[in-house]
Structures are given as structure tokens and as C-alpha cells.
Amino acid sequence: MLKRKFAFLYLNTGCGHKNAAKILKTSLERLYPDCEVFLLHGFGENSKKLGNFIFEKIYSIACNYIPGLYPLIYDTAQYRFVQWLYVLGLSLTVPKRLRRFILKNKITDVVSFHFALTPPLIKVKPYIPWNLNITEIVTDPFNGSHAWYYQREQHFLVYSQQMKQAAVEECHVNPANIKVIPFLNNPKFRIPFDAEKVRETRIKHGFNPEKPVVLLAGGGEGMPGTMSIIKKCIQHSAEFAIAVVCGRDKTRQEILNTVAKSHPNLDLHVFGFVDFMDELVKICDCAVIKAGPAILMEILECRKPVIISRYIHNQEKENVRFTTRNHLGWFIQDPEKIYEKINEILSDGDFSQKMNENFDRITINTNVDQAAQILYENQW
């Protein structure tokens, strides 16, 4: 009998796909020391490849600089013919690479964290001389592209009953092939900071420990519209510190560093791609974000109020509804009104108590070990 070996396939679209893979890998290897997990970029890290260009470079540009482009791509990708065209293009080179990796490392289980990677896997499966388990983890929590379910006969792990219902009713997936798992959040977001730890961590990252902190973040690709909010903070001489996480957006990071130097009275702290996001979330008093699922769930798990300034049309709309319906935050696009809401939050002495009552009414399940057990036991 082959030793259980997993290949987790991801793409660098935002940070949610790879982070979820890394989090699940850690849990799986800790719970089951007899298994081995490989992290593998689905197309290879070479940015010149067509798949990388389409799914990573164009995604980044569309999200940050051409607001209408990604919604157009998303809406057209709902149609099976368009999905077939994507699959046709990817099937030229990807299957061969995956087949070599699976055979060389004797992989028994492949888990896809991006819908573009599952169809090439299906082409590979007949050429593997042992039973290859294929599972797709849908990283959109409440609604997502129909492209996730292009290969309807596969096994799916989703984050909510809402997603399972949509897969069954809209994409005709067999309900027996879908299981609901907890959201794959890093467990360190579940560890609360007391007042002394908040103070200590603010000092560690260069903040005045007595000053409120507002976090601006949008996930791995940074947050579009950041400069408009920063301009309002300059205009109104903001009395709070601002932490901006730019992710992979080096251009925005350089611009904001220049702004910080040219406006010394603006308490602006600029970060690139960080591995201490949990600390920045825990030291902030509120966050302004794009409604990506990973960054949203990280902030809500830390019980921080959130202002959603942007979301991807259709794909992230249910993330916004979940937040506003449960009174955990607001959807505000106008930079002036965002600034006003920040000040309202920071000046309300009873605000923390009100928010805690709202957070107490909901349950966000992020038990990664439970997800690892479901995957490993593979009892469909």
C-alpha cells in the first residue's frame, strides 16, 4: 500500500489560495505524521508562462487598476463554453508537468485550491497506475464562479451550506460529492491579545502605543483606492495612525512611502507582503479592506470592525452581505464617508461593547484540524 502523499496545487491570485494550502498542510502533517504534503504552484513559478500571465498578472492588474475588467472576466466565466476555452488552453502544457510530478513523488492525493487546476488533473488521472484521489477546495465562502464545478464528478470541500446548495442547484453537482469544512484561517488569528500585548506589539512595529490604529489592506494584491482614503486623511489632519499593507503591489508601496516622507505629520506606516498580518489586525481599532474572503475572515475572527470599500462584482458580494447583515461592518465606497465612519468608530466610547455583542451572535468556524481530518479520512 502506498504511503499517503498529498500534492496541494495553488496559484498566486491574491493570497487566499496559497495561504489556505499552507495552513491545511501544517495541520495535516501534525495530525498525521505518516503522511507527506507537497505545495506545488499549478503552472510553475515562471511568470512568463501563459497560465501565470492570465490567472495571476491579469488578475492583479484587473483588481487594482482596471475595476471593470475582472467583473467582465468573472461574468463570462460563468458560461460553460468560455470555461471550455480556458481548459483547452491550459491542457496544452499543464497536464504533462503534473503527471511527471505525481509519478516521480508517488502522489496518492491531489488537492486543487484553484478552479483552473482541476481540469488538467482530470486529464492526468488515466495515466497514473494507482488510484489518485482528487479533491477541490472552493476558497470562496458564500458565492463563487461556476468554474469551480466544471468537473462535476469530483469531490468538493466548501466553506458553507450556502455554497453547497448553489453547487447542487445551479451547477448540478451530486450532493454526495460535497462536504462542508471550516474556513481555512491561520490558527494564530484565534489567539487574542490583551491590552498589554497590544501595546507591546504596537511598539514593536513602530506605532505610538497610545494612538488609535486604522488598518488598510486588501489581501495579497494590496487594496485599490488606498490613495483616495490617504488623501482624505491628509486633508483632515487625521489624528490616528494608519497601517497600509500593499502585498505584492510594489508600485503602490513606493508611492505610499513617498507620501509618508513628504507628510511627516501623517502617521503613515507602509508594509509590503507580510507574515505578521495577525499582529497588524490585532493592534488596529478598525480596518478598511477589499472584501476578499481571506482578509475578511482574518479580521472578523479577531473581532475587529471592518469597512468594506471595494468588492469584486458578483464574486465577493455575499462576503459584503454577510458582514453588513450581521452588523460586523459597513460597505462604504466614498473616501470622505469612510473617513467619517472611522472617526465615528474611534470616538464612540461604547462602540467596543456594541461590536462584541454583534460578534457574540455569530459563529465563524475556523477549526483547521477538522478540515484536515475530513480530507485525510476521505470517507465519501
Side-chain angles (χ1 to χ4, degrees):
M1 183 176 177
L2 288 175
K3 174 184 177 182
R4 292 290 292 279
K5 291 187 176 182
F6 292 79
F8 285 3
L9 306 185
Y10 68 90
L11 295 180
N12 291 321
T13 48
C15 62
H17 304 279
K18 186 175 183 180
N19 279 356
K22 290 168 66 176
I23 291 162
L24 189 56
K25 167 182 162 66
T26 300
S27 176
L28 197 62
E29 291 181 331
R30 177 174 50 79
L31 291 175
Y32 305 99
D34 61 316
C35 80
E36 189 174 1
V37 183
F38 298 84
L39 290 179
L40 182 67
H41 189 292
F43 302 148
E45 295 288 355
N46 185 352
S47 61
K48 295 181 180 179
K49 290 186 177 180
L50 179 62
N52 301 63
F53 178 75
I54 293 174
F55 286 94
E56 294 183 351
K57 299 300 180 184
I58 290 183
Y59 172 84
S60 177
I61 293 169
C63 288
N64 284 305
Y65 300 106
I66 311 176
L69 179 57
Y70 188 78
L72 176 63
I73 296 171
Y74 179 89
D75 287 347
T76 56
Q78 297 293 85
Y79 297 97
R80 199 161 179 83
F81 175 72
V82 177
Q83 295 167 16
W84 177 81
L85 290 177
Y86 285 137
V87 170
L88 182 65
L90 294 174
S91 65
L92 299 177
T93 59
V94 176
K96 184 184 296 184
R97 176 175 174 273
L98 292 179
R99 184 174 72 248
R100 287 198 301 264
F101 183 87
I102 291 168
L103 291 173
K104 178 183 176 180
N105 294 285
K106 294 184 171 54
I107 300 297
T108 60
D109 300 76
V110 184
V111 182
S112 169
F113 287 80
H114 196 287
F115 56 78
L117 301 175
T118 306
L121 280 173
I122 303 307
K123 290 184 175 293
V124 165
K125 190 171 183 177
Y127 300 96
I128 306 302
W130 56 80
N131 181 43
L132 183 67
N133 298 314
I134 297 176
T135 305
E136 186 171 276
I137 294 184
V138 180
T139 56
D140 290 314
F142 304 115
N143 70 296
S145 172
H146 290 177
W148 281 110
Y149 310 107
Y150 181 81
Q151 301 290 344
R152 297 168 184 157
E153 71 279 9
Q154 295 311 299
H155 293 155
F156 300 92
L157 299 179
V158 299
Y159 289 149
S160 66
Q161 287 292 340
Q162 184 175 333
M163 279 296 284
K164 179 175 181 176
Q165 184 178 350
V168 173
E169 295 179 358
E170 298 174 18
C171 300
H172 311 294
V173 176
N174 185 341
N177 289 347
I178 309 177
K179 289 183 182 293
V180 178
I181 62 170
F183 195 89
L184 296 176
N185 248 19
N186 194 314
K188 62 185 180 180
F189 283 91
R190 302 171 71 179
I191 303 171
F193 277 7
D194 59 21
E196 184 57 35
K197 185 65 175 178
V198 169
R199 177 183 174 83
E200 175 188 320
T201 309
R202 284 182 174 179
I203 293 172
K204 170 185 172 183
H205 291 297
F207 293 89
N208 180 339
E210 310 301 333
K211 201 172 186 180
V213 176
V214 175
L215 174 66
L216 274 63
E221 305 303 332
M223 193 180 89
T226 301
M227 274 308 304
S228 298
I229 300 170
I230 296 296
K231 286 177 181 177
K232 292 299 176 183
C233 294
I234 295 171
Q235 178 184 335
H236 294 289
S237 301
E239 296 183 357
F240 48 82
I242 308 163
V244 182
V245 180
C246 299
R248 300 186 186 92
D249 194 337
K250 299 292 185 182
T251 302
R252 181 174 285 121
Q253 185 177 354
E254 291 174 3
I255 292 171
L256 288 171
N257 278 325
T258 301
V259 171
K261 291 177 182 177
S262 59
H263 294 83
N265 292 329
L266 181 69
D267 197 354
L268 176 60
H269 303 251
V270 183
F271 302 90
F273 201 93
V274 300
D275 60 1
F276 48 85
M277 191 66 189
D278 64 306
E279 296 184 356
L280 295 179
V281 173
K282 290 171 188 176
I283 67 172
C284 80
D285 294 273
C286 71
V288 184
I289 68 165
K290 183 181 83 68
I295 184 68
L296 175 63
M297 290 301 174
E298 288 168 355
I299 290 169
L300 295 184
E301 186 161 32
C302 292
R303 299 169 70 94
K304 300 291 183 177
V306 63
I307 299 170
I308 297 173
S309 65
R310 299 284 183 95
Y311 74 95
I312 295 176
H313 169 72
N314 284 344
Q315 183 179 4
E316 294 172 350
K317 68 179 181 181
E318 289 300 323
N319 301 350
V320 178
R321 287 178 179 173
F322 174 83
T323 303
T324 56
R325 185 170 57 241
N326 290 291
H327 307 290
L328 307 176
W330 304 264
F331 174 54
I332 307 173
Q333 292 182 292
D334 180 74
E336 180 69 33
K337 292 182 179 178
I338 290 173
Y339 182 83
E340 291 173 0
K341 178 56 71 173
I342 291 171
N343 278 303
E344 179 186 328
I345 292 169
L346 299 180
S347 61
D348 185 349
D350 298 324
F351 184 79
S352 293
Q353 181 180 342
K354 296 173 187 174
M355 287 305 300
N356 283 332
E357 290 173 358
N358 294 338
F359 278 109
D360 287 342
R361 294 191 191 101
I362 67 161
T363 300
I364 300 176
N365 187 357
T366 58
N367 187 340
V368 180
D369 288 353
Q370 183 182 340
Q373 290 166 3
I374 292 172
L375 178 64
Y376 187 86
E377 292 169 5
N378 198 26
Q379 295 177 352
W380 294 93

